[in-house]
Each structure stands twice: as structure tokens, then as C-alpha cells.
Amino acid sequence: MEGLKLEKPTMSAAFRILLFLGFFSMAYAAGIQGNVSSRPEVVNIGAILAVDSIVGKVAKVAIEAALDDVNSNPDVLPGAKLNILMLDSNYSGFLGIVEALQFMEAETVAIIGPQSSVIAHVVCHIANELQVPLLSFAGTDPTLSSLEYPFFVRTTQSDLFQMAAIAAIVDYYGWSEVIAVYTDDEYGRNGIAALGDKLAEKRCRISYKAPLNPELNRDEITDELVKIVLAESRVLVLHTYNTYGLEILDVANSLGMMESGYVWITTNWLTDIIDTNSSLSSDALDDVQGLITLRMHTPDSPLKRNFISNWSKMTSRDKGEDPFGLNAFGLYAYDTVWLLARALDAYFSQGWNISFSKDTRLSGLKGASLLLGAMNTFDGGQKLLQNILGVNMTGVTGSVQFDPDRNLVHPAFEIINMIGTGHRRIGYWSNSSGLSVQPPESFYYKPVTNSSSDPLLHDVIWPGQTTEKPRGWVFTNNGRQMRIGVPNRVSYREFIAYSPSTGSFNGYCIDVFTAAVKLLPYALHYELLPFGDGINNPSCTELIEAMNAGKYDAAMGDIAITTNRTRMADFTQPYIESGLVVVAPVRTLKSNAWVFLRPFTPMMWGVTAAFFLIVGAVVWILEHRINDEFRGPPRKQIVTTLWFSFSTLFFTHKERTESTLGRLVLIIWLFVVLIINSSYTASLTSILTVQQLSSPVKGIESLTMNNDRIGYQQGSFVKNYLTQVLHIHESRLIALNSADEYENALKLGPMNGGVVAVVDERAYIELFLSTRCEFTIAGQEFTKTGWGFAFPRDSPLAVDLSTAILKLSESGELQRIHDKWLMSSACSSQDSTLAVDRLELKSFWGPLPRMWISLLGCSPCLFLSTWLGSSYITTLTRSLSQVLVEARDQHAF
């Protein structure tokens, strides 16, 4: 019984659990059915188009086709249908606002458009307030992607990438400046601003901006293009609408701006016209010959091919309309509908429904006639926006997916060249691979491996039916010769010499410039104008300032390229090196009685003698205990040690070393003695056989450490360098105007009103020293500069002449010009020395007399020892003779 009592509650609990699970599953199924049934039968979306425009009429057909495909596909938005309301803005910002407000009254969850970037700037504020996503297939203005418009979603390529493609083209062809022609509204200004940023990344720039009135006015276009004709750059970028572009090009053609030498690059408005219209008029074809334009690139795919093949059927729906083609914006419009449909499907699958609420701020506004209170805020706008940005699908334009910056992935453009009655694709640009003749999709899944020899673009036929790349700029002097300022030098006329009587120049700098100009790929008409009074050397800095003031178009001559000058002008490649050096008087060191001591300094002599003594002492310590030759009375040991040590200098020591350590020390010491002996011999040989020059000035350091006066060339930048960089007081500097003044001031010296040294550029000093052997360059060259030709900022002539100078250098012509004018003569490039002398008796006046004195001092001792020795031998002989006689007598006895 107890067991049964326990069993009944158990069965009751299990029954309750099963009952609970049954109710839960029923409720879950009901919830799922509720989610499906919560999808409305009709979802309202809107579209703002300019129906009569080239882009608008194509987009209208594409959107309607996409709507039919979505509603007929059971896998997308099951149980719901998309309903679209299209309104025509007719390019009016005001109508765009009104139409956007109308959509809000109809409980619209999203708006496709606006087609115009200008209208989008206005409508985005309404979308932000009412939280309705805007999906624009044609709003390419880069600034629409900013945080200011969170509900704006661009479903096409941004002009930011189109401008990057144009900048890459400009850089590829080596142009540095462009002129921007654009419509003066948000679309035009913001696009050109993006172009300026992208050009700056390539170290290029927009030299002139030509804004045009959005209201087409042929007279205003003509006036603006006339200004461009007078400008220097010949590379023009045209960023406008397809309704204005051909009119602008027609005016340009009438002004002769489609001739050889011009470069026109248009944004994708021109390909929209070409792709939409079956053909251009003959006049329009004449206006676009040789142009480069862009087209948004969409990869080839079965979906795209199928859509294009059905396009003619789609356009036949509109009765009374002439057939028209499909442009890239039509493809993006089609994908935009599919993108929105998939985002709505995900939105409903997440359990969200469509609901709207009143905006209390609008309801409280006065003015009942506006019916502002009828506008509702979409409650699920933020969630739908997140689903839109999270879509990842493949459409007719390829992969449809957004990057973190809310731009479509894989932006790419085709580069088109207009030729004859058609056009030719010359390459591609993509954000990942840059310029290439290969389709960008071929690089999406493998690294870019373009070789430097591979062409990035195919050949172009430019305006004027030429295949030669245009230079990209012309002179702005309208036929006037280019004015080039040349320093009217007083000294060193080998570089520049001006003849007032004939008005002509000659010299090294003139020949280099003339030879470089001959290598330019175009004719350069110029005249050389003297700068300076002909009495004093002019300042090249002042010459550059005069050029910047407009007095000259360029500056040519012995102009050193310094930091301050590079801030004022652009320079060519240096055609001669010329750093700063110090020139000072030099004197010849003659042989004297103590010349044999000059190879070593007193310190070296002392250290060498000390080592002789130390080595002798070490050997004695190691040998005297075991070696009899180092033993004996103290006097003998000292004499033996000193004799042994110093005799190693000539390797004439006769004492044997018996200890291992002693021999090791001796071997090392003999090696050191060999080095000392060889060095002494080589140095003494040089002193006795080569003329030695000496100067009290050792280099620029010597000048900064004393207060002696220093000379410099008048008009040179040396004065500023010495005072501002080396901080030498200006009172120490003496301006000198010629090579003769250099010589006189150096000979007088600082004590007699002259200078201790002259600081000048090496090119001048080498010429100065070529005939003046009593002076020399002291120390090393302490700056590295060069001479170049100066041009106004961003002048393309600086680049072209730099290339010409490099060609002169490579061909050897630059060296031949140098040898013609600056070949050194008598004392060329003397550094310290180079005349060989014959040895004289005075060269040995030191050691020879001392040897004779030693010999004479030793003669009495030698005589004495010889006399004493002979007396001793005589006495010894007599003694021996006497002993022998006595011995004989005794034997006989």
C-alpha cells in the first residue's frame, strides 16, 4: 500500500510535465505562425527618380523588372509583396522634399533614391528624422557617406574611387597638374575636392578650378573655357552631368581645345550617354575624339548576361518610348531592389514587424494646412538599416556587400578611349590592383604580380589623332619669349660672362643650359636678361626673389641649391657639385738639421724610448738568473741590458735568450720594432723627397675657434651660412669681389688688414687655385651643395631640364663642357703637396756632423788605447825573448 501511495504522485507529476510540454509546443508553433502571419501582405517602398533623364529612365525599367522578379520568387519575402511608389523629382530639390514627405504619409519603410546627390543632401535630413533608410543607386557624392547621414546607404560606387582612378591615370602619364571643370553644386564641388585629395597622394595637384553654373549657360561656359586656354596646364578633368557634358565639350571644340596637346578626362557621365543612346550625333562624335572617360565596372556573370539579353523586352513595355540601352546605374538599381528585399526578409525573420509612431515634435507644430502631424516615424528603421548593411549576396553587378566604411566592396572602373565612331577599353582601375589591362576580378583571389615591363594601360589615341603622349602643359606667355634672369658676374667670368656691347652671355653655365635645352622634346623660346649692376657680384637669392615677383620666368647661372632657396623655387638636378671649403696661405717646409726627428712626434719618441727600456728590463729579469751573459757586476748588467735593448732596433743583439718567456717577449718586441722601423723609414723618405706644405689654418674648425677675419665672396650665401649656422660674428667677415682681392687679402694676413682665410664654394676655389700655388684648401669640404637652374614652384620645366641634365651627364657632354671652361692649369687641385725635390747635403746636416763629432771624440781614446797596446806588446816581447835566452843557456850548460 505504501508503495502504491508513492506511485500515484509520481504518475501525476509525469502527466503534468507532459501536459506542460504539449502546451509549450503548441504555443511555440503558434508563435512561429504568428511571425509568419505578422508579415504584412504588402510592404510599401518608394523611389525618387528624374524619370526623363538618361539615368532615370533606365533605372525606372530596372526597378520595375527587379520588383517583378522579387514578387515572383517564393524564396524571398514569403507571404509578402513589395509595392513601390515612384515619384518624379525632375531634378528639383524642393520636389524631392515634398515627395519624401508624401512617402512618410503612406507608411513607407524605405526609399530607393534619390537619384541626384544634390537632392540626397536635402532628403537625408528627413530620413534621419523619420528613420527611413535611403538606398541610392546613383548618389555618388563622397560626402554622403559621412556620419552626418546615418540612414543614407549608397548602393553604387562612390566618386571617391572614381577620382582615385583619375589620379592614377594622371600619375601614370607623368602629369603633375590638372584643371578641374565641374558643375558648381554639392555633386561637383565634393567630387573635385575628392580629386584634389587623391591627386595630392600622387604628389600632383589641381592648378585651376573652373566652376560652371548648374543652370546651363553657353556664354558663361565660353568665358570660363577661355580662361583655361590661357592657363599653363593642358590636362582637363570634366566632372558634370550627362545633360551638360556634351554642351561643354562642344564649346571647347569651338575654341580649339580638342586639338593636339590637350588631354580631356571625363567622369562616367559620358559612358552613361554612350551606353544608353544607340549612337551619338556626328557633331557630338567630333567633340569627344581622343577623350578618356570612365565606366563603373561590373564583372561578367550569367546573371548579368541574362539580364542584358532581356533588356530589350523590358524597355518595350513603355509604349511610345524609343529603345534605349542599359547603363551601369540600371544594373545597380536592379540590385538595389533585391538588396532591400533580402534585408526585409531578414528583418521579418528576426520577428520584427512594421509599425509607425507619431513624432510629437511634428504634431506640436502650428500650421495645420501642412499636415505635418500625418508623418510617422518608422519604429523599425534602425533594425532594417542594420539588415541592409549586413546583406551579402551576388547580383548582376557582382558581389553586393558593404565594407566597414559602408562602401560596396571591390570598387572598379573601366578606362575608355573615344575613337572614331566608337570607343575602346584601354584598361581597368580597381581599389585593390590599381591600373591594369587585366579585369580586376582576376586579382581578387590572387596577389597582383604586374611586372615593371608590363603595360598598365593600352595605347591611347589622343585629341588631334596622335598616339604621342601629350606633354600636359604649355607656356603661358602667349607667344612672348621666356625671360630668364642671369647673374651679371664681375669675377670668375669663366662661369658667366656678359658683354654689354652685344648683350650676349657665354661661359660654363651658359653652355650647360644651352645644351640641356637642345635635349628638350619641344622648342623653348627664351631670352637671357642680366641681373646685377656689373660692379658687384649680385645675390642669387635676390635673383630668385625677383623671379617670384614676376620679373623673370626662370633663373639660370651659378645658383647654389640651398635650403632657404628651395623654399622659394624649384631647382633642376645639380649640374656641378660645389660645397663650401676654406682656402688659406701655405708655406713650404724646408729640410733642417733636425729633419730626422720629424717622422715621430715628441710623444712618440718618448714612448718608443720608454718601451726600449721596459723591454730591456723585462728581458733582464727573465734571463739574469739562468743566463751568464746577463750576470756579473751591476755595472756590467746595466750596460748589457741597455746594449741588448737598443741593439734590437737594428737586429744586431748577440746575447742569447735562454728562458721561454724571454724568447716570447723578444719575438713580440722584434715585431713591434720592425713596424716602428718601417714606419720611420717611410715617413723620413717622404719628408726628404716630397715637398711639404703647411698652413696655420687646418679647416673650418680653426676659424670658429679664433677671432681672425674671414673673407667671403660678395653676393654669396656664405655670409648667411657663417653667421646663422656657424655663429661667427658678422664683424669678422670681409666681403671680397674678385679673385685678385682674394689673393691680396690672403697675402696681407689678418695682422695687416687682410684675412686669415677665405670661405667660398669649391667650384670658385678650384679655379682660383689653378694659377695660385701659394694657397691651398685647408681641411675638408664641410658642406655638400650643387648648382642648378631655378624655376617657379611646380614648373614642369624643372623636371624636363633635370632629365636633360642627366642625359648630358650620361653622354659625357657635361664633362666636356666642364673641361672646356674649367680645365685646371698650373696648380690644379693641390691639396698638400706634390712637387718632388732632389736630396741636398743640408737634408743630412743633422746626423752627419753628429757622427763626425762622435768619431773625433773617440779618436784620442782610440789613439791612447793603440799606443798603450803597442808598448805593452813590446815589453811582453822583450820579456819573452829574455826568458827564451835564459832557458837556452841553462840547457846548454
Side-chain angles (χ1 to χ4, degrees), residues 594-720:
W594 300 98
V595 68
F596 66 93
L597 296 177
R598 281 175 52 194
F600 290 164
T601 63
M603 176 64 74
M604 183 63 185
W605 280 115
V607 171
T608 302
F611 268 100
F612 273 106
L613 298 177
I614 292 172
V615 169
V618 170
V619 172
W620 175 80
I621 292 173
L622 296 174
E623 294 292 330
H624 80 283
R625 296 180 180 274
I626 60 176
N627 192 336
D628 292 338
E629 293 184 0
F630 289 89
R631 303 183 67 177
R635 179 179 177 183
K636 178 185 177 184
Q637 294 186 44
I638 293 174
V639 172
T640 301
T641 300
L642 292 177
W643 166 255
F644 174 83
S645 178
F646 284 100
S647 63
T648 57
L649 180 62
F650 309 103
F651 303 96
T652 58
H653 54 287
K654 63 179 181 178
E655 292 78 11
R656 297 174 56 190
T657 53
E658 298 182 0
S659 67
T660 303
L661 289 178
R663 292 174 180 176
L664 178 62
V665 171
L666 184 60
I667 289 174
I668 296 174
W669 174 241
L670 290 177
F671 179 72
V672 174
V673 168
L674 176 64
I675 296 175
I676 294 174
N677 205 347
S678 301
S679 301
Y680 177 86
T681 303
S683 180
L684 184 61
T685 302
S686 174
I687 292 172
L688 293 177
T689 59
V690 179
Q691 183 182 14
Q692 299 296 305
L693 304 178
S694 176
S695 172
V697 178
K698 304 303 180 184
I700 190 64
E701 296 81 6
S702 303
L703 301 182
T704 58
M705 296 174 61
N706 58 43
N707 294 318
D708 293 331
R709 298 200 298 177
I710 305 170
Y712 69 94
Q713 184 179 167
Q714 188 174 25
S716 171
F717 73 96
V718 175
K719 178 181 179 181
N720 290 335

Side-chain angles (χ1 to χ4, degrees), residues 36-43 79-81 348 353-354:
V36 175
S37 62
S38 65
R39 297 191 178 197
E41 294 182 0
V42 177
V43 180
K81 299 292 183 181
F348 291 133
N353 56 15
I354 296 177

